[in-house]
Amino acid sequence: MRLSSLADYAVVMMSAAARHCGSIRLNATLLADETGLPLPTVQKLVSKLSGAGLIESTRGTGGGFRLSRPPAAISLADIVEAIEGPIAMTSCVDTGKHDCAVEGSCRVKPHMGTVNGAVRGALAGVTLAQLSAQAPVPAVAEHA
Amino acid sequence: MRLSSLADYAVVMMSAAARHCGSIRLNATLLADETGLPLPTVQKLVSKLSGAGLIESTRGTGGGFRLSRPPAAISLADIVEAIEGPIAMTSCVDTGKHDCAVEGSCRVKPHMGTVNGAVRGALAGVTLAQLSAQAPVPAVAEHA
DNA sequence: GGCAATCGGATTAAATTGATCTGATTGAGA
DNA sequence: TCTCAATCAGATCAATTTAATCCGATTGCC
């Protein structure tokens, strides 16, 4: 019930990338230096995000990458799915996996679909544009 | 972004237990046989759920356990938290963990709190009573 | 044509998780 | 009263997944 560290890192990295909206060339080294994340980790994330189509990367000396869509069109769900794969709370939700012992008479499965949709909706409701905004959050009291 | 198998099993197990609302004595062997889950796994779950206060267990020959609250008063969030600990999408949300590299200027954290709340709300909205209902789901088309 | 810089995939080590085993506890029966 | 059987509880061990590192392929510049 916790998204992986890599997905977490990816969100931080993409958020930092969104702040460089104007500059064309971004590279892994720059973002690693900026976010404090290890360079190899950032490189790995670049590979995955590029494969998912969220960023467009070019190799070579003058290479680098940039967001393939404007920040407002990239949601947390996109990033999480790019790193972790489809959002599915239980393996039941994925089609084709049927190792559940009570497959036939499982009452839990349909409700999990509902929960799953709620989770995905919550993630899809937050865009990179919101994350890269300066400081729109008015002193959240958190879970005091 | 997927809850652990143990938490999944716990939901199935508690759902099966809720269907035995009338009978006082439940034991791990019975539920293992009924759900098809391995007996040691069910025993482990019983320990955790008992520790969390969701079930009341007694040892000895005539021992066993029962739900400490009515099924309508036990939600998925309760079960998941009993097995996995506090629901927190990122370690940022847990108080006291500050190994994030961009702690000071992190724009992601407050939004994660929102997402986290949405997830927990979705889990808290489903009770054991709903899960143990016979078949209220009218032929879900799923993700065809 | 050589060189430097970048992404891409593969390998290795660590951590978390899941399953098994053994021990402590309790009640029933002789 | 004592022994035995049945149960939960905790600890141990193996497996899977995950995260970090390393090396190779590709490309533009000099």
Side-chain angles (χ1 to χ4, degrees):
Chain A
M1 203 51 200
R2 179 168 301 185
L3 53 84
S4 63
S5 298
L6 280 185
D8 196 358
Y9 295 161
V11 173
V12 172
M13 200 196 84
M14 290 289 279
S15 176
R19 292 168 55 196
H20 290 279
C21 189
S23 57
I24 301 298
R25 276 183 19 182
L26 283 171
N27 55 29
T29 306
L30 172 66
L31 283 187
D33 183 48
E34 204 164 286
T35 60
L37 300 175
L39 177 58
T41 300
V42 175
Q43 287 180 340
K44 186 184 186 66
L45 292 177
V46 167
S47 297
K48 284 214 170 192
L49 293 170
S50 175
L54 292 181
I55 64 177
E56 294 176 353
S57 62
T58 53
R59 299 205 275 195
T61 308
F65 57 88
R66 63 183 181 83
L67 299 181
S68 56
R69 283 181 288 175
I74 299 179
S75 70
L76 282 185
D78 294 327
I79 300 176
V80 170
E81 287 188 335
I83 302 299
E84 295 189 352
I87 295 176
M89 302 303 284
T90 62
S91 48
C92 301
V93 182
D94 279 334
T95 316
K97 298 198 67 174
H98 297 288
D99 50 356
C100 184
V102 290
E103 182 70 30
S105 59
C106 183
R107 307 281 190 284
V108 183
K109 185 176 174 182
H111 289 277
M112 269 304 175
T114 302
V115 172
N116 199 61
V119 171
R120 199 187 186 290
L123 287 175
V126 181
T127 68
L128 267 189
Q130 293 174 323
L131 291 183
S132 58
Q134 285 311 319
V137 187
V140 281
E142 301 212 355
H143 35 270
Chain B
M1 202 50 201
R2 180 167 299 184
L3 52 83
S4 65
S5 297
L6 279 185
D8 196 358
Y9 296 162
V11 173
V12 172
M13 199 196 84
M14 290 290 278
S15 175
R19 292 170 54 196
H20 290 279
C21 189
S23 58
I24 300 299
R25 274 184 19 182
L26 283 171
N27 55 29
T29 305
L30 173 66
L31 283 187
D33 184 48
E34 203 164 288
T35 59
L37 299 175
L39 177 58
T41 300
V42 174
Q43 288 180 338
K44 186 184 186 64
L45 292 177
V46 167
S47 297
K48 284 216 169 191
L49 292 169
S50 176
L54 292 182
I55 63 177
E56 294 176 353
S57 62
T58 53
R59 299 204 277 194
T61 307
F65 57 88
R66 63 183 180 83
L67 299 181
S68 56
R69 284 181 288 175
I74 300 178
S75 70
L76 282 185
D78 294 327
I79 301 175
V80 171
E81 286 187 338
I83 302 298
E84 295 189 353
I87 294 177
M89 302 303 284
T90 62
S91 49
C92 301
V93 182
D94 279 333
T95 316
K97 298 199 67 175
H98 298 290
D99 50 357
C100 185
V102 289
E103 183 69 30
S105 60
C106 184
R107 309 279 189 284
V108 184
K109 186 175 174 182
H111 289 276
M112 270 303 175
T114 303
V115 173
N116 199 61
V119 171
R120 200 188 185 289
L123 287 175
V126 180
T127 67
L128 266 189
Q130 294 173 323
L131 291 183
S132 57
Q134 286 310 321
V137 186
V140 281
E142 303 213 352
H143 34 271

